[in-house]
Amino acid sequence: MTDMTATPAVALTEKRTRVRIWILMLILFLSTVAYADRSILSISGSGIKQQFGLSTVQLGYILSAFSWAYVVGQIPGGLILDRFGTKTVYGVTLALWSLSTFLMGFVAEFGVGVTGAVTVFFVLRLALGLIEAPSFPANARVAAMWFPKSERGRASSLFASSQYFAVGIFSPLAGWLVSQFGWQWPFFVLGGIGFAAFFVWQKVMDTPRHHPGVSRAELAYIIEGGALIDVDDAGELKSRTRVSWPLVKSLLNNRMLWCAYIGQYCAVALSYFFITWFPIYLVQARGMSILNAGFATVAPSLFGFLGGISGGIISDWLIKQGWSVSWARKTPYIVGMLVAGTLVLAAVSDSNVMVIALMSFAFYGKGVAAGAGTWAVVSDTAPKDAIGLAGSIFNCVGNIAGIVTPIVFGYIVAATGGYGAGLFFVGAHCIVAAFLFLFVMGKIERVGGEAKVA
């Protein structure tokens, strides 16, 4: 096994491996599976609504159920993550959330009526949300652990863009499965993929210092770049002090962090419109078939993913050009959210092609914003001893939008008889977020000062 205690001078004589890239590909895959678990209900939703005779409001509550538990589970999930480490917590939750997804396909076998169906779907989605709660804070820990500051924006942007991968890949697949076999089959297939992913995670994941594939050159590069490589080591986890109230208070009383929290809320509002109501909107308001609606989500997903990668690349490039971390993260976010606001134009378009084009442009902008100014900010600002907790608070506030957006959108559609007002409701989030980052946020810096590296 490679000697991980080598000094940077010795390490420079060795070939630098790129294990961190493979680790990033793994968390991208797991994040894609996690987002697909959340989003496939929107593809199966029309079939579920028809079979059980659900109302629009009832479906809206089911679509929001995941986020109720996801939000509640964030703080406990972050504390558990900081105590037991990324590999253990991510592995256990991956197996359990895949089981929850798999069981969704059996609801029709319970022989329940409308009220019973709503209850069972709601409970299973609550379970999924609670179990998945630590997943994205865990991704932030991996980014802080494995990547130097100059690469952290790109790394964070990639897993933040998994939502587009999930919709772009699994929506067409789910649409085909529903059209050929019924609404249950997307849950069966995705649950099976999650079970297989559990074994891959257990085999591949480790800390940088102890990973057998990491060369001394790569380890030195990661350390010199400011990565917190020992944050998940067994000794570090065992000796870590309990989270103190002053530390929690510093995460809750910070203006910069609250702007980041609200910025995440606004970005998540757009995401949840896309993964819950957008396919249903295409079917019910635009007259598409379920199969065509599934394929119609591919273009916005692709552009959202490209935007996410662009945001991370642009942000890291600006840092290398001498920009401050603050403006390198904030500038792409502000511009991206303003571009995302153009989705409101879909409300006045008569062309399905134009609607898809507008959504593609808008979600490219949203991707740029998320790639530069959401999870990268957590990795840049979280205290070393509370990366999981900081990410959980950030994700907790942000994912309240996952509760609010599907329900409010459902009520707006029910009250107005159309989707136009709902699109304006979603678009307003973009203006609020851009304003906060530009005028209120201030300097982006690590809470408690820059953490020392090993």
Side-chain angles (χ1 to χ4, degrees), residues 99-136:
L99 177 62
S100 179
T101 297
F102 194 81
L103 291 176
M104 288 280 289
F106 288 101
V107 174
E109 306 302 319
F110 296 163
V112 294
V114 174
T115 303
V118 171
T119 301
V120 174
F121 278 119
F122 194 85
V123 169
L124 285 174
R125 293 290 287 184
L126 281 175
L128 180 66
L130 186 65
I131 296 163
E132 275 195 15
S135 60
F136 269 71

PDB file of all heavy atoms in Angstrom, residues 99-136:
ATOM      1  N   LEU A  99     -35.313   0.671  -0.522  1.00  0.00           N
ATOM      2  CA  LEU A  99     -36.425  -0.177  -0.077  1.00  0.00           C
ATOM      3  C   LEU A  99     -37.730   0.604  -0.074  1.00  0.00           C
ATOM      4  O   LEU A  99     -38.776   0.104  -0.518  1.00  0.00           O
ATOM      5  CB  LEU A  99     -36.124  -0.722   1.320  1.00  0.00           C
ATOM      6  CG  LEU A  99     -37.228  -1.570   1.961  1.00  0.00           C
ATOM      7  CD1 LEU A  99     -37.498  -2.824   1.138  1.00  0.00           C
ATOM      8  CD2 LEU A  99     -36.844  -1.939   3.401  1.00  0.00           C
ATOM      9  N   SER A 100     -37.695   1.845   0.412  1.00  0.00           N
ATOM     10  CA  SER A 100     -38.894   2.676   0.440  1.00  0.00           C
ATOM     11  C   SER A 100     -39.430   2.924  -0.962  1.00  0.00           C
ATOM     12  O   SER A 100     -40.648   2.856  -1.209  1.00  0.00           O
ATOM     13  CB  SER A 100     -38.585   4.016   1.133  1.00  0.00           C
ATOM     14  OG  SER A 100     -39.704   4.843   1.159  1.00  0.00           O
ATOM     15  N   THR A 101     -38.531   3.203  -1.900  1.00  0.00           N
ATOM     16  CA  THR A 101     -38.941   3.409  -3.289  1.00  0.00           C
ATOM     17  C   THR A 101     -39.568   2.141  -3.860  1.00  0.00           C
ATOM     18  O   THR A 101     -40.616   2.185  -4.520  1.00  0.00           O
ATOM     19  CB  THR A 101     -37.723   3.817  -4.146  1.00  0.00           C
ATOM     20  OG1 THR A 101     -37.215   5.055  -3.668  1.00  0.00           O
ATOM     21  CG2 THR A 101     -38.106   3.966  -5.612  1.00  0.00           C
ATOM     22  N   PHE A 102     -38.950   1.010  -3.628  1.00  0.00           N
ATOM     23  CA  PHE A 102     -39.434  -0.266  -4.143  1.00  0.00           C
ATOM     24  C   PHE A 102     -40.854  -0.550  -3.649  1.00  0.00           C
ATOM     25  O   PHE A 102     -41.717  -1.008  -4.418  1.00  0.00           O
ATOM     26  CB  PHE A 102     -38.478  -1.377  -3.709  1.00  0.00           C
ATOM     27  CG  PHE A 102     -38.662  -2.672  -4.431  1.00  0.00           C
ATOM     28  CD1 PHE A 102     -38.121  -2.873  -5.701  1.00  0.00           C
ATOM     29  CD2 PHE A 102     -39.375  -3.704  -3.857  1.00  0.00           C
ATOM     30  CE1 PHE A 102     -38.294  -4.065  -6.378  1.00  0.00           C
ATOM     31  CE2 PHE A 102     -39.553  -4.909  -4.514  1.00  0.00           C
ATOM     32  CZ  PHE A 102     -39.008  -5.095  -5.788  1.00  0.00           C
ATOM     33  N   LEU A 103     -41.118  -0.262  -2.380  1.00  0.00           N
ATOM     34  CA  LEU A 103     -42.434  -0.549  -1.799  1.00  0.00           C
ATOM     35  C   LEU A 103     -43.540   0.320  -2.389  1.00  0.00           C
ATOM     36  O   LEU A 103     -44.723  -0.061  -2.345  1.00  0.00           O
ATOM     37  CB  LEU A 103     -42.381  -0.351  -0.283  1.00  0.00           C
ATOM     38  CG  LEU A 103     -41.544  -1.377   0.505  1.00  0.00           C
ATOM     39  CD1 LEU A 103     -41.499  -0.992   1.980  1.00  0.00           C
ATOM     40  CD2 LEU A 103     -42.107  -2.782   0.335  1.00  0.00           C
ATOM     41  N   MET A 104     -43.186   1.484  -2.953  1.00  0.00           N
ATOM     42  CA  MET A 104     -44.199   2.353  -3.566  1.00  0.00           C
ATOM     43  C   MET A 104     -44.965   1.625  -4.659  1.00  0.00           C
ATOM     44  O   MET A 104     -46.150   1.885  -4.893  1.00  0.00           O
ATOM     45  CB  MET A 104     -43.534   3.605  -4.148  1.00  0.00           C
ATOM     46  CG  MET A 104     -43.033   4.607  -3.139  1.00  0.00           C
ATOM     47  SD  MET A 104     -44.333   5.673  -2.477  1.00  0.00           S
ATOM     48  CE  MET A 104     -44.682   6.704  -3.912  1.00  0.00           C
ATOM     49  N   GLY A 105     -44.314   0.704  -5.342  1.00  0.00           N
ATOM     50  CA  GLY A 105     -44.966  -0.005  -6.433  1.00  0.00           C
ATOM     51  C   GLY A 105     -46.030  -0.985  -5.998  1.00  0.00           C
ATOM     52  O   GLY A 105     -46.790  -1.488  -6.838  1.00  0.00           O
ATOM     53  N   PHE A 106     -46.112  -1.267  -4.682  1.00  0.00           N
ATOM     54  CA  PHE A 106     -47.065  -2.258  -4.185  1.00  0.00           C
ATOM     55  C   PHE A 106     -48.325  -1.645  -3.590  1.00  0.00           C
ATOM     56  O   PHE A 106     -49.169  -2.383  -3.065  1.00  0.00           O
ATOM     57  CB  PHE A 106     -46.389  -3.140  -3.128  1.00  0.00           C
ATOM     58  CG  PHE A 106     -45.374  -4.096  -3.693  1.00  0.00           C
ATOM     59  CD1 PHE A 106     -44.022  -3.803  -3.615  1.00  0.00           C
ATOM     60  CD2 PHE A 106     -45.769  -5.276  -4.299  1.00  0.00           C
ATOM     61  CE1 PHE A 106     -43.075  -4.675  -4.128  1.00  0.00           C
ATOM     62  CE2 PHE A 106     -44.833  -6.158  -4.814  1.00  0.00           C
ATOM     63  CZ  PHE A 106     -43.479  -5.863  -4.737  1.00  0.00           C
ATOM     64  N   VAL A 107     -48.486  -0.328  -3.655  1.00  0.00           N
ATOM     65  CA  VAL A 107     -49.622   0.321  -2.995  1.00  0.00           C
ATOM     66  C   VAL A 107     -50.949  -0.205  -3.535  1.00  0.00           C
ATOM     67  O   VAL A 107     -51.909  -0.408  -2.775  1.00  0.00           O
ATOM     68  CB  VAL A 107     -49.541   1.854  -3.153  1.00  0.00           C
ATOM     69  CG1 VAL A 107     -50.798   2.520  -2.595  1.00  0.00           C
ATOM     70  CG2 VAL A 107     -48.311   2.390  -2.440  1.00  0.00           C
ATOM     71  N   ALA A 108     -51.018  -0.467  -4.831  1.00  0.00           N
ATOM     72  CA  ALA A 108     -52.271  -0.947  -5.428  1.00  0.00           C
ATOM     73  C   ALA A 108     -52.669  -2.310  -4.881  1.00  0.00           C
ATOM     74  O   ALA A 108     -53.848  -2.690  -4.937  1.00  0.00           O
ATOM     75  CB  ALA A 108     -52.136  -1.012  -6.946  1.00  0.00           C
ATOM     76  N   GLU A 109     -51.690  -3.063  -4.362  1.00  0.00           N
ATOM     77  CA  GLU A 109     -51.971  -4.395  -3.837  1.00  0.00           C
ATOM     78  C   GLU A 109     -52.610  -4.353  -2.454  1.00  0.00           C
ATOM     79  O   GLU A 109     -53.067  -5.384  -1.948  1.00  0.00           O
ATOM     80  CB  GLU A 109     -50.672  -5.215  -3.762  1.00  0.00           C
ATOM     81  CG  GLU A 109     -49.897  -5.302  -5.063  1.00  0.00           C
ATOM     82  CD  GLU A 109     -50.723  -5.901  -6.183  1.00  0.00           C
ATOM     83  OE1 GLU A 109     -51.452  -6.876  -5.912  1.00  0.00           O
ATOM     84  OE2 GLU A 109     -50.643  -5.387  -7.316  1.00  0.00           O
ATOM     85  N   PHE A 110     -52.635  -3.162  -1.828  1.00  0.00           N
ATOM     86  CA  PHE A 110     -53.170  -3.069  -0.477  1.00  0.00           C
ATOM     87  C   PHE A 110     -54.695  -3.038  -0.453  1.00  0.00           C
ATOM     88  O   PHE A 110     -55.311  -3.194   0.598  1.00  0.00           O
ATOM     89  CB  PHE A 110     -52.637  -1.821   0.227  1.00  0.00           C
ATOM     90  CG  PHE A 110     -51.143  -1.810   0.443  1.00  0.00           C
ATOM     91  CD1 PHE A 110     -50.483  -0.636   0.738  1.00  0.00           C
ATOM     92  CD2 PHE A 110     -50.409  -2.979   0.348  1.00  0.00           C
ATOM     93  CE1 PHE A 110     -49.097  -0.630   0.937  1.00  0.00           C
ATOM     94  CE2 PHE A 110     -49.032  -2.984   0.545  1.00  0.00           C
ATOM     95  CZ  PHE A 110     -48.382  -1.811   0.836  1.00  0.00           C
ATOM     96  N   GLY A 111     -55.333  -2.839  -1.622  1.00  0.00           N
ATOM     97  CA  GLY A 111     -56.784  -2.818  -1.715  1.00  0.00           C
ATOM     98  C   GLY A 111     -57.431  -1.671  -0.969  1.00  0.00           C
ATOM     99  O   GLY A 111     -58.522  -1.824  -0.405  1.00  0.00           O
ATOM    100  N   VAL A 112     -56.783  -0.512  -0.953  1.00  0.00           N
ATOM    101  CA  VAL A 112     -57.303   0.638  -0.210  1.00  0.00           C
ATOM    102  C   VAL A 112     -58.092   1.562  -1.135  1.00  0.00           C
ATOM    103  O   VAL A 112     -57.944   1.539  -2.356  1.00  0.00           O
ATOM    104  CB  VAL A 112     -56.154   1.424   0.446  1.00  0.00           C
ATOM    105  CG1 VAL A 112     -55.490   0.573   1.507  1.00  0.00           C
ATOM    106  CG2 VAL A 112     -55.127   1.861  -0.601  1.00  0.00           C
ATOM    107  N   GLY A 113     -58.954   2.395  -0.522  1.00  0.00           N
ATOM    108  CA  GLY A 113     -59.698   3.391  -1.272  1.00  0.00           C
ATOM    109  C   GLY A 113     -58.894   4.666  -1.441  1.00  0.00           C
ATOM    110  O   GLY A 113     -57.677   4.686  -1.249  1.00  0.00           O
ATOM    111  N   VAL A 114     -59.609   5.750  -1.757  1.00  0.00           N
ATOM    112  CA  VAL A 114     -58.937   7.022  -2.018  1.00  0.00           C
ATOM    113  C   VAL A 114     -58.179   7.501  -0.782  1.00  0.00           C
ATOM    114  O   VAL A 114     -56.980   7.807  -0.848  1.00  0.00           O
ATOM    115  CB  VAL A 114     -59.960   8.098  -2.450  1.00  0.00           C
ATOM    116  CG1 VAL A 114     -59.271   9.455  -2.587  1.00  0.00           C
ATOM    117  CG2 VAL A 114     -60.612   7.713  -3.757  1.00  0.00           C
ATOM    118  N   THR A 115     -58.848   7.538   0.367  1.00  0.00           N
ATOM    119  CA  THR A 115     -58.201   8.012   1.588  1.00  0.00           C
ATOM    120  C   THR A 115     -57.035   7.118   1.980  1.00  0.00           C
ATOM    121  O   THR A 115     -55.957   7.604   2.361  1.00  0.00           O
ATOM    122  CB  THR A 115     -59.212   8.083   2.751  1.00  0.00           C
ATOM    123  OG1 THR A 115     -60.296   8.934   2.378  1.00  0.00           O
ATOM    124  CG2 THR A 115     -58.548   8.608   4.007  1.00  0.00           C
ATOM    125  N   GLY A 116     -57.231   5.817   1.867  1.00  0.00           N
ATOM    126  CA  GLY A 116     -56.162   4.882   2.202  1.00  0.00           C
ATOM    127  C   GLY A 116     -54.973   5.016   1.282  1.00  0.00           C
ATOM    128  O   GLY A 116     -53.818   4.961   1.724  1.00  0.00           O
ATOM    129  N   ALA A 117     -55.235   5.216  -0.016  1.00  0.00           N
ATOM    130  CA  ALA A 117     -54.144   5.374  -0.984  1.00  0.00           C
ATOM    131  C   ALA A 117     -53.342   6.631  -0.690  1.00  0.00           C
ATOM    132  O   ALA A 117     -52.100   6.613  -0.715  1.00  0.00           O
ATOM    133  CB  ALA A 117     -54.710   5.421  -2.401  1.00  0.00           C
ATOM    134  N   VAL A 118     -54.040   7.732  -0.421  1.00  0.00           N
ATOM    135  CA  VAL A 118     -53.350   8.980  -0.094  1.00  0.00           C
ATOM    136  C   VAL A 118     -52.471   8.778   1.143  1.00  0.00           C
ATOM    137  O   VAL A 118     -51.316   9.219   1.182  1.00  0.00           O
ATOM    138  CB  VAL A 118     -54.360  10.123   0.148  1.00  0.00           C
ATOM    139  CG1 VAL A 118     -53.667  11.352   0.709  1.00  0.00           C
ATOM    140  CG2 VAL A 118     -55.084  10.471  -1.144  1.00  0.00           C
ATOM    141  N   THR A 119     -53.009   8.099   2.140  1.00  0.00           N
ATOM    142  CA  THR A 119     -52.265   7.873   3.386  1.00  0.00           C
ATOM    143  C   THR A 119     -51.014   7.030   3.149  1.00  0.00           C
ATOM    144  O   THR A 119     -49.915   7.370   3.625  1.00  0.00           O
ATOM    145  CB  THR A 119     -53.162   7.184   4.428  1.00  0.00           C
ATOM    146  OG1 THR A 119     -54.309   7.998   4.684  1.00  0.00           O
ATOM    147  CG2 THR A 119     -52.399   6.949   5.719  1.00  0.00           C
ATOM    148  N   VAL A 120     -51.158   5.916   2.410  1.00  0.00           N
ATOM    149  CA  VAL A 120     -50.023   5.023   2.190  1.00  0.00           C
ATOM    150  C   VAL A 120     -48.944   5.715   1.354  1.00  0.00           C
ATOM    151  O   VAL A 120     -47.752   5.653   1.684  1.00  0.00           O
ATOM    152  CB  VAL A 120     -50.478   3.715   1.514  1.00  0.00           C
ATOM    153  CG1 VAL A 120     -49.261   2.851   1.159  1.00  0.00           C
ATOM    154  CG2 VAL A 120     -51.415   2.940   2.425  1.00  0.00           C
ATOM    155  N   PHE A 121     -49.357   6.374   0.279  1.00  0.00           N
ATOM    156  CA  PHE A 121     -48.382   7.105  -0.544  1.00  0.00           C
ATOM    157  C   PHE A 121     -47.675   8.179   0.283  1.00  0.00           C
ATOM    158  O   PHE A 121     -46.454   8.352   0.186  1.00  0.00           O
ATOM    159  CB  PHE A 121     -49.066   7.747  -1.753  1.00  0.00           C
ATOM    160  CG  PHE A 121     -49.281   6.821  -2.913  1.00  0.00           C
ATOM    161  CD1 PHE A 121     -50.552   6.546  -3.383  1.00  0.00           C
ATOM    162  CD2 PHE A 121     -48.196   6.216  -3.555  1.00  0.00           C
ATOM    163  CE1 PHE A 121     -50.749   5.692  -4.453  1.00  0.00           C
ATOM    164  CE2 PHE A 121     -48.379   5.367  -4.627  1.00  0.00           C
ATOM    165  CZ  PHE A 121     -49.666   5.093  -5.077  1.00  0.00           C
ATOM    166  N   PHE A 122     -48.453   8.890   1.079  1.00  0.00           N
ATOM    167  CA  PHE A 122     -47.882   9.973   1.877  1.00  0.00           C
ATOM    168  C   PHE A 122     -46.864   9.422   2.877  1.00  0.00           C
ATOM    169  O   PHE A 122     -45.764   9.978   3.044  1.00  0.00           O
ATOM    170  CB  PHE A 122     -49.001  10.722   2.607  1.00  0.00           C
ATOM    171  CG  PHE A 122     -48.586  12.052   3.179  1.00  0.00           C
ATOM    172  CD1 PHE A 122     -48.594  13.200   2.396  1.00  0.00           C
ATOM    173  CD2 PHE A 122     -48.182  12.161   4.501  1.00  0.00           C
ATOM    174  CE1 PHE A 122     -48.208  14.428   2.923  1.00  0.00           C
ATOM    175  CE2 PHE A 122     -47.796  13.379   5.031  1.00  0.00           C
ATOM    176  CZ  PHE A 122     -47.810  14.514   4.237  1.00  0.00           C
ATOM    177  N   VAL A 123     -47.201   8.313   3.546  1.00  0.00           N
ATOM    178  CA  VAL A 123     -46.298   7.732   4.549  1.00  0.00           C
ATOM    179  C   VAL A 123     -45.014   7.228   3.903  1.00  0.00           C
ATOM    180  O   VAL A 123     -43.909   7.442   4.428  1.00  0.00           O
ATOM    181  CB  VAL A 123     -47.010   6.602   5.310  1.00  0.00           C
ATOM    182  CG1 VAL A 123     -46.014   5.801   6.151  1.00  0.00           C
ATOM    183  CG2 VAL A 123     -48.105   7.162   6.210  1.00  0.00           C
ATOM    184  N   LEU A 124     -45.122   6.550   2.762  1.00  0.00           N
ATOM    185  CA  LEU A 124     -43.928   6.034   2.098  1.00  0.00           C
ATOM    186  C   LEU A 124     -43.032   7.166   1.595  1.00  0.00           C
ATOM    187  O   LEU A 124     -41.804   7.067   1.643  1.00  0.00           O
ATOM    188  CB  LEU A 124     -44.319   5.122   0.939  1.00  0.00           C
ATOM    189  CG  LEU A 124     -44.832   3.733   1.329  1.00  0.00           C
ATOM    190  CD1 LEU A 124     -45.320   2.969   0.107  1.00  0.00           C
ATOM    191  CD2 LEU A 124     -43.733   2.933   2.046  1.00  0.00           C
ATOM    192  N   ARG A 125     -43.651   8.225   1.121  1.00  0.00           N
ATOM    193  CA  ARG A 125     -42.848   9.378   0.681  1.00  0.00           C
ATOM    194  C   ARG A 125     -42.226  10.100   1.878  1.00  0.00           C
ATOM    195  O   ARG A 125     -41.105  10.611   1.783  1.00  0.00           O
ATOM    196  CB  ARG A 125     -43.710  10.344  -0.136  1.00  0.00           C
ATOM    197  CG  ARG A 125     -44.176   9.799  -1.461  1.00  0.00           C
ATOM    198  CD  ARG A 125     -43.061   9.654  -2.465  1.00  0.00           C
ATOM    199  NE  ARG A 125     -42.618  10.941  -2.969  1.00  0.00           N
ATOM    200  CZ  ARG A 125     -41.700  11.087  -3.915  1.00  0.00           C
ATOM    201  NH1 ARG A 125     -41.103  10.028  -4.434  1.00  0.00           N
ATOM    202  NH2 ARG A 125     -41.351  12.283  -4.342  1.00  0.00           N
ATOM    203  N   LEU A 126     -42.932  10.136   3.012  1.00  0.00           N
ATOM    204  CA  LEU A 126     -42.328  10.674   4.231  1.00  0.00           C
ATOM    205  C   LEU A 126     -41.099   9.866   4.627  1.00  0.00           C
ATOM    206  O   LEU A 126     -40.053  10.423   4.976  1.00  0.00           O
ATOM    207  CB  LEU A 126     -43.340  10.652   5.377  1.00  0.00           C
ATOM    208  CG  LEU A 126     -44.407  11.747   5.434  1.00  0.00           C
ATOM    209  CD1 LEU A 126     -45.375  11.459   6.578  1.00  0.00           C
ATOM    210  CD2 LEU A 126     -43.786  13.126   5.617  1.00  0.00           C
ATOM    211  N   ALA A 127     -41.226   8.531   4.573  1.00  0.00           N
ATOM    212  CA  ALA A 127     -40.102   7.664   4.922  1.00  0.00           C
ATOM    213  C   ALA A 127     -38.922   7.910   3.983  1.00  0.00           C
ATOM    214  O   ALA A 127     -37.763   7.990   4.423  1.00  0.00           O
ATOM    215  CB  ALA A 127     -40.532   6.195   4.855  1.00  0.00           C
ATOM    216  N   LEU A 128     -39.197   8.054   2.700  1.00  0.00           N
ATOM    217  CA  LEU A 128     -38.138   8.312   1.729  1.00  0.00           C
ATOM    218  C   LEU A 128     -37.414   9.616   2.051  1.00  0.00           C
ATOM    219  O   LEU A 128     -36.180   9.683   2.027  1.00  0.00           O
ATOM    220  CB  LEU A 128     -38.730   8.366   0.312  1.00  0.00           C
ATOM    221  CG  LEU A 128     -37.744   8.635  -0.826  1.00  0.00           C
ATOM    222  CD1 LEU A 128     -36.766   7.477  -0.966  1.00  0.00           C
ATOM    223  CD2 LEU A 128     -38.491   8.857  -2.144  1.00  0.00           C
ATOM    224  N   GLY A 129     -38.169  10.651   2.376  1.00  0.00           N
ATOM    225  CA  GLY A 129     -37.567  11.944   2.686  1.00  0.00           C
ATOM    226  C   GLY A 129     -36.714  11.908   3.938  1.00  0.00           C
ATOM    227  O   GLY A 129     -35.621  12.477   3.971  1.00  0.00           O
ATOM    228  N   LEU A 130     -37.210  11.229   4.971  1.00  0.00           N
ATOM    229  CA  LEU A 130     -36.457  11.150   6.226  1.00  0.00           C
ATOM    230  C   LEU A 130     -35.144  10.395   6.020  1.00  0.00           C
ATOM    231  O   LEU A 130     -34.091  10.801   6.515  1.00  0.00           O
ATOM    232  CB  LEU A 130     -37.303  10.449   7.285  1.00  0.00           C
ATOM    233  CG  LEU A 130     -36.727  10.412   8.698  1.00  0.00           C
ATOM    234  CD1 LEU A 130     -36.617  11.824   9.273  1.00  0.00           C
ATOM    235  CD2 LEU A 130     -37.603   9.537   9.603  1.00  0.00           C
ATOM    236  N   ILE A 131     -35.196   9.314   5.264  1.00  0.00           N
ATOM    237  CA  ILE A 131     -34.007   8.483   5.058  1.00  0.00           C
ATOM    238  C   ILE A 131     -32.983   9.187   4.168  1.00  0.00           C
ATOM    239  O   ILE A 131     -31.771   9.079   4.376  1.00  0.00           O
ATOM    240  CB  ILE A 131     -34.415   7.125   4.449  1.00  0.00           C
ATOM    241  CG1 ILE A 131     -35.297   6.342   5.431  1.00  0.00           C
ATOM    242  CG2 ILE A 131     -33.185   6.296   4.106  1.00  0.00           C
ATOM    243  CD1 ILE A 131     -36.058   5.202   4.783  1.00  0.00           C
ATOM    244  N   GLU A 132     -33.454   9.935   3.161  1.00  0.00           N
ATOM    245  CA  GLU A 132     -32.530  10.604   2.245  1.00  0.00           C
ATOM    246  C   GLU A 132     -31.920  11.876   2.817  1.00  0.00           C
ATOM    247  O   GLU A 132     -31.009  12.453   2.218  1.00  0.00           O
ATOM    248  CB  GLU A 132     -33.234  10.952   0.922  1.00  0.00           C
ATOM    249  CG  GLU A 132     -33.244   9.831  -0.086  1.00  0.00           C
ATOM    250  CD  GLU A 132     -33.601  10.319  -1.489  1.00  0.00           C
ATOM    251  OE1 GLU A 132     -33.558  11.546  -1.735  1.00  0.00           O
ATOM    252  OE2 GLU A 132     -33.929   9.474  -2.339  1.00  0.00           O
ATOM    253  N   ALA A 133     -32.390  12.322   3.979  1.00  0.00           N
ATOM    254  CA  ALA A 133     -31.973  13.616   4.524  1.00  0.00           C
ATOM    255  C   ALA A 133     -30.461  13.831   4.572  1.00  0.00           C
ATOM    256  O   ALA A 133     -29.982  14.918   4.238  1.00  0.00           O
ATOM    257  CB  ALA A 133     -32.593  13.816   5.909  1.00  0.00           C
ATOM    258  N   PRO A 134     -29.643  12.845   4.984  1.00  0.00           N
ATOM    259  CA  PRO A 134     -28.201  13.119   5.065  1.00  0.00           C
ATOM    260  C   PRO A 134     -27.461  13.088   3.732  1.00  0.00           C
ATOM    261  O   PRO A 134     -26.265  13.386   3.699  1.00  0.00           O
ATOM    262  CB  PRO A 134     -27.682  11.966   5.965  1.00  0.00           C
ATOM    263  CG  PRO A 134     -28.880  11.310   6.539  1.00  0.00           C
ATOM    264  CD  PRO A 134     -29.983  11.538   5.570  1.00  0.00           C
ATOM    265  N   SER A 135     -28.117  12.757   2.631  1.00  0.00           N
ATOM    266  CA  SER A 135     -27.392  12.466   1.390  1.00  0.00           C
ATOM    267  C   SER A 135     -26.643  13.675   0.833  1.00  0.00           C
ATOM    268  O   SER A 135     -25.445  13.567   0.509  1.00  0.00           O
ATOM    269  CB  SER A 135     -28.345  11.896   0.335  1.00  0.00           C
ATOM    270  OG  SER A 135     -29.387  12.795   0.026  1.00  0.00           O
ATOM    271  N   PHE A 136     -27.280  14.825   0.709  1.00  0.00           N
ATOM    272  CA  PHE A 136     -26.581  15.966   0.122  1.00  0.00           C
ATOM    273  C   PHE A 136     -25.608  16.639   1.084  1.00  0.00           C
ATOM    274  O   PHE A 136     -24.534  17.074   0.656  1.00  0.00           O
ATOM    275  CB  PHE A 136     -27.583  16.953  -0.483  1.00  0.00           C
ATOM    276  CG  PHE A 136     -27.860  16.648  -1.925  1.00  0.00           C
ATOM    277  CD1 PHE A 136     -28.602  15.535  -2.280  1.00  0.00           C
ATOM    278  CD2 PHE A 136     -27.349  17.441  -2.938  1.00  0.00           C
ATOM    279  CE1 PHE A 136     -28.841  15.222  -3.607  1.00  0.00           C
ATOM    280  CE2 PHE A 136     -27.569  17.142  -4.267  1.00  0.00           C
ATOM    281  CZ  PHE A 136     -28.316  16.031  -4.612  1.00  0.00           C
TER     282      PHE A 136
END
